[in-house]
Every structure is written in C-alpha cells, then in structure tokens.
Amino acid sequence: MDQKTREQAELAGGDTVCAGCGAVAEGSPPTWTCSVENGERRYLCDSCARENIRAIEGRLDSSWW
C-alpha cells in the first residue's frame, strides 16, 4: 500500500476511522477488519465487520451492502 492510501483511512493523529459507522480508534486496532476497495484502504470496527461478514467474505464492495 502506498502512503497516500493509508492517509485516507487514518486521521492526522494516527487514529483509525471505521468506514461503516465513523467510530475512531487509536492506531490500528488488531480486532478491526481492513480491506482494500478500488485501491483505497478501509477499516471496519468489530460491530460493522460482524454485521457484514458474509458480504466481506464474498468480496462484495461496501457500496453493495
């Protein structure tokens, strides 16, 4: 991944933002899910990942679900 892609998923302070609900966590939490869609890195918190696990495993873009 290039640095520009990483910046899209993280805030200036190094915090990570959930692409689903907007939750913010310090750093990159080990329990969050990370995926790449259209060259963009997206993180999902535990709750959002659990709600959409079938779509994630089916490799469906988040715009589908």
Side-chain angles (χ1 to χ4, degrees), residues 44-55:
L44 294 171
C45 68
D46 300 337
S47 297
C48 289
R50 269 190 228 107
E51 289 175 13
N52 300 291
I53 192 68
R54 289 183 187 252

Side-chain angles (χ1 to χ4, degrees), residues 29-49:
T31 58
W32 282 30
T33 301
C34 178
S35 68
V36 177
E37 295 179 23
N38 300 317
E40 181 179 330
R41 187 180 290 191
R42 296 174 176 252
Y43 290 95
L44 294 171
C45 68
D46 300 337
S47 297
C48 289

